[in-house]
Amino acid sequence: MKADPKGVLTGAHYIDGDHACAEGAIAAGCRFFAGYPITPSTEAAERIASRFPFVGGTFIQMEDELASMAAILGASWGGRKSMTVTSGPGFSLMMENIGLGVMMEVPCVIANVQRGGPSTGLPTMVGQQDMMQARWGSHGDYAIIALAPQSPQESFDLTITAFNFSEKYRVPVLFMLDECIGHMTEKVVIPPAEEIEIEPRRLTDKPPGDYLPYETGKDLIPDMADAGMGYRFHTTGLTHDERGYPDMSVECQGKLVRRLMDKINNRVDDITIIRKEKIDGAEVILLSYGISARVSTLSIEKARKKGVKVGRVRLITIWPFPEKEIAKLADKIKAFIVPEINMGQISREVERVVAGKCDVISVPHAGGGVHDPEVILEAIMEAVK
Amino acid sequence: MIKGQVEIRVTGYGGQGVVLSGYIIGRAVTIYDDKNATMTQSFGPEARGSACSISMIISPDPIYYPYVTSPNILIVMSPEGYTKHYPGVTDDAIIIVEEDIVHPGKIKDTQTLYTCPATRIAEELGRRLVLNVVMLGFFTAATELISEEAMRKSIEASVPEGTQKLNLTAFNNGYAYFQESKEKAEEKARTQA
């Protein structure tokens, strides 16, 4: 279905990544927001607060991030597309209820404008240190989706994708910006509403008496009934059966947890968004994401001028990790070079996937700044020696 | 006309409209002049203090590294902003200062210094607040980096509703002040010759 024109601010804008994320959410149909202000994500909340009165949305500033996350889960069950935005410390507080969202299979979007950590770390400065927390931050086994933009324009575009994935797969989607993208102002073009594809909610077509909230077909994704539609059902964070009632048996846990993981992991190809460039004949491949991928462009260009055959892989979908795509490249190259603003989180994932078939060279950077492109260039030159 | 990639920094007191100046320049470049402009800004206490700043890269090509390293153009509206940001500019930088607020020391021979009485020009309009837009008019005329037309459209789109006329006049007066002072300087040079 197409976007509701009421929420789409069609035209060219000069806005930052946070504002672009807010506009993407509103264009995607988000009409409920709960959050607690935290640098560097607050601009997104402010934008939503100022725009929601004109589109019929509900904005609540909650007492903290635990409550914010709980509120968006409730609102999503109430039939509203919902989101929250935060940064590292708030993301930590949201973890328990993100797990609840995964377990209850609630579509919603959590944007994390990453700053340097740990703890309160560097409130106004960039980091990409929450990438593994996005994957594993809540307890228990689960699969989740996370996307990373490299510009304000992508912040707009991919927030829509995040909402669409969350509705399609019934899972909280983590939108992993960083302070640099969030606070960077550039031109953002918002297309007309009729050019924006929106994933509608998977509503059941069964009558209330026949509906089981966690019954699934081959696609392993249950249909929803929003609160107020006349369906009576139960949902819980406890291990539950198809009726949504607690069933603490080993069999039920095995079936449920496998399904929660399989519904995402069986569709990695559909969820993967990846940008590849000059892969054929590449000696080494620079693999990165977000602002680090963007900054690496300069290093790649310089290396190519020196005659080095550098390919490029930019991950937009970070989780589920595009294992197959990366593993098949490993046979043909000397090394993956992985710059990121953390001490080597995704590079370890690459190492795991290539399983020794080629080198993996981490180019770490602590929070607070982006890489000097020269440092990445040196890593490329070292790798081809 | 300046070609290729240009780095700009605007600095001044928090509340002087430094950030709005950045938005006006960026919007003019990207939306009305069809080039790229990536802006980053100061956050935290300094954004509210005396060396609030925005930094912007303008380029006909995509911009991959978003941070300004050495500005080619520095627009200064506070003494602290000058002290903090002058040392980082390029050897051929253009430095534009508000002449009643900022008193620069000696600059390199290869650099160009322009001074503009933006506060006085703004006061003549009855609103000291628009000194930033006067500075933008002066900057537009002095650097010829961005078209006058694009800057005017951007001001109209960026300033609060109801203040467009005042701001456009502020822009025009800043623009005219540069041209008049340039003509005077040329006239002086001619008579001396």
Side-chain angles (χ1 to χ4, degrees):
Chain A
M1 85 191 232
K2 304 296 177 191
D4 173 6
K6 204 165 73 172
V8 183
L9 221 53
T10 302
H13 305 266
Y14 195 63
I15 53 178
D16 70 19
D18 281 356
H19 282 236
C21 172
E23 286 303 330
I26 298 166
C30 175
R31 294 294 181 270
F32 184 90
F33 179 98
Y36 188 81
I38 183 168
T39 305
S41 73
T42 307
E43 289 86 347
E46 286 174 340
R47 177 99 178 187
I48 288 192
S50 69
R51 290 264 289 126
F52 259 13
F54 302 99
V55 298
T58 303
F59 177 100
I60 308 180
Q61 181 175 322
M62 300 298 292
E63 63 268 39
D64 59 30
E65 287 88 348
L66 287 86
S68 305
M69 191 59 219
I72 70 166
L73 296 181
S76 187
W77 273 120
R80 294 278 185 100
K81 289 193 180 177
S82 306
M83 93 175 304
T84 187
V85 302
T86 192
S87 189
F91 199 50
S92 291
L93 293 178
M94 287 176 183
M95 281 302 147
E96 181 180 1
N97 281 333
I98 288 175
L100 180 62
V102 168
M103 192 62 147
M104 297 197 306
E105 301 179 66
V106 189
C108 59
V109 174
I110 299 103
N112 175 3
V113 189
Q114 296 172 88
R115 63 193 218 183
S119 189
T120 36
L122 293 167
T124 64
M125 296 161 93
V126 66
Q128 292 182 314
Q129 299 165 330
D130 309 342
M131 302 311 295
M132 278 295 168
Q133 186 184 21
R135 174 64 189 86
W136 302 105
S138 197
H139 56 275
D141 275 322
Y142 61 97
I144 203 154
I145 298 173
L147 309 174
Q150 71 158 6
S151 65
Q153 179 69 54
E154 280 192 357
S155 182
F156 173 84
D157 298 337
L158 294 170
T159 300
I160 297 172
T161 309
F163 272 95
N164 286 347
F165 281 166
S166 80
E167 292 293 337
K168 192 169 182 184
Y169 303 111
R170 280 195 62 180
V171 69
V173 173
L174 310 175
F175 192 50
M176 305 298 286
L177 299 100
D178 55 69
E179 184 276 339
C180 187
I181 302 297
H183 277 168
M184 169 198 294
T185 304
E186 289 188 329
K187 182 178 177 178
V188 173
V189 177
I190 299 183
E194 65 267 23
E195 289 172 22
I196 300 174
E197 260 327 304
I198 298 298
E199 186 74 29
R201 179 145 290 188
R202 296 176 57 106
L203 291 174
T204 181
D205 51 15
K206 288 190 173 166
D210 297 342
Y211 174 65
L212 294 173
Y214 292 101
E215 181 183 36
T216 60
K218 267 191 201 148
D219 70 0
L220 306 179
I221 303 164
D223 290 335
M224 272 185 104
D226 293 337
M229 281 172 60
Y231 292 77
R232 292 180 60 182
F233 62 89
H234 190 262
T235 179
T236 173
L238 288 169
T239 300
H240 48 265
D241 60 18
E242 292 181 336
R243 299 169 304 152
Y245 286 111
D247 174 354
M248 262 71 81
S249 66
V250 176
E251 293 74 25
C252 187
Q253 156 86 190
K255 196 176 160 199
L256 176 60
V257 169
R258 280 200 180 86
R259 183 176 66 73
L260 290 178
M261 297 189 73
D262 287 348
K263 75 170 178 175
I264 305 295
N265 293 338
N266 290 354
R267 293 186 178 82
V268 174
D269 293 346
D270 300 331
I271 301 168
T272 294
I273 308 172
I274 194 169
R275 299 279 181 267
K276 288 182 280 189
E277 181 196 300
K278 299 199 177 169
I279 293 300
D280 292 335
E283 210 178 334
V284 293
I285 291 176
L286 193 136
L287 182 147
S288 194
Y289 53 93
I291 186 63
S292 298
R294 177 170 166 155
V295 168
S296 304
T297 312
L298 294 173
S299 325
I300 293 171
E301 282 176 359
K302 282 187 181 170
R304 284 179 185 156
K305 275 192 191 138
K306 288 176 189 273
V308 181
K309 288 183 176 151
V310 194
R312 173 188 174 81
V313 169
R314 178 161 74 92
L315 302 182
I316 290 174
T317 302
I318 310 293
W319 307 118
F321 201 66
E323 298 183 3
K324 261 194 298 177
E325 287 267 6
I326 292 169
K328 75 182 178 205
L329 296 171
D331 285 332
K332 300 168 194 159
I333 58 167
K334 262 185 168 168
F336 277 109
I337 296 143
V338 190
E340 46 188 338
I341 308 173
N342 57 51
M343 300 318 279
Q345 297 189 7
I346 296 301
S347 74
R348 279 198 286 273
E349 192 69 3
V350 178
E351 260 175 40
R352 180 183 71 78
V353 167
V354 306
K357 281 188 248 167
C358 72
D359 288 340
V360 178
I361 299 163
S362 170
V363 190
H365 192 301
V370 301
H371 289 79
D372 178 346
E374 291 298 323
V375 171
I376 302 171
L377 176 64
E378 278 169 29
I380 296 171
M381 300 314 289
E382 190 63 28
V384 294
K385 252 187 194 169
Chain B
M1 186 76 81
I2 301 164
K3 298 255 188 269
Q5 181 161 314
V6 179
E7 299 188 355
I8 300 181
R9 183 162 289 150
V10 184
T11 177
Y13 295 108
Q16 261 179 336
V18 168
V19 176
L20 178 63
S21 304
Y23 273 98
I24 291 171
I25 298 171
R27 200 167 273 136
V29 170
T30 59
I31 296 174
Y32 304 111
D33 258 359
D34 211 24
K35 278 195 266 183
N36 299 300
T38 300
M39 178 169 81
T40 51
Q41 45 184 297
S42 54
F43 284 90
E46 72 270 25
R48 282 94 188 155
S50 55
C52 170
S53 71
I54 66 97
S55 302
M56 186 182 293
I57 302 176
I58 296 177
S59 176
D61 305 314
I63 297 158
Y64 298 113
Y65 189 83
Y67 295 116
V68 162
T69 46
S70 36
N72 312 88
I73 299 172
L74 180 67
I75 302 173
V76 195
M77 298 184 280
S78 75
E80 292 82 354
Y82 185 84
T83 312
K84 186 172 175 188
H85 295 293
Y86 170 71
V89 303
T90 57
D91 283 344
D92 60 351
I94 297 171
I95 300 141
I96 303 173
V97 304
E98 202 301 332
E99 66 181 44
D100 293 329
I101 305 174
V102 186
H103 306 287
K106 193 171 160 39
I107 62 161
K108 288 180 188 154
D109 293 343
T110 48
Q111 295 169 336
T112 310
L113 177 70
Y114 292 117
T115 65
C116 172
T119 308
R120 269 182 281 154
I121 295 173
E123 279 169 351
E124 279 164 21
L125 292 168
R127 289 295 296 276
R128 195 177 173 167
L129 204 62
V130 296
L131 88 111
N132 61 336
V133 182
V134 175
M135 288 294 278
L136 290 180
F138 188 94
F139 149 82
T140 307
T143 61
E144 295 182 6
L145 177 68
I146 308 159
S147 75
E148 220 186 307
E149 179 70 11
M151 285 295 282
R152 286 218 175 85
K153 283 185 187 161
S154 181
I155 288 167
E156 281 190 296
S158 306
V159 301
E161 204 55 48
T163 68
Q164 280 94 345
K165 206 176 149 196
L166 170 71
N167 278 290
L168 285 173
T169 312
F171 177 82
N172 291 344
N173 292 3
Y175 194 93
Y177 183 85
F178 174 81
Q179 289 187 314
E180 281 159 24
S181 41
K182 189 180 164 198
E183 277 163 24
K184 269 186 211 157
E186 281 167 0
E187 179 68 29
K188 201 174 156 191
R190 264 199 300 277
T191 45
Q192 278 172 352

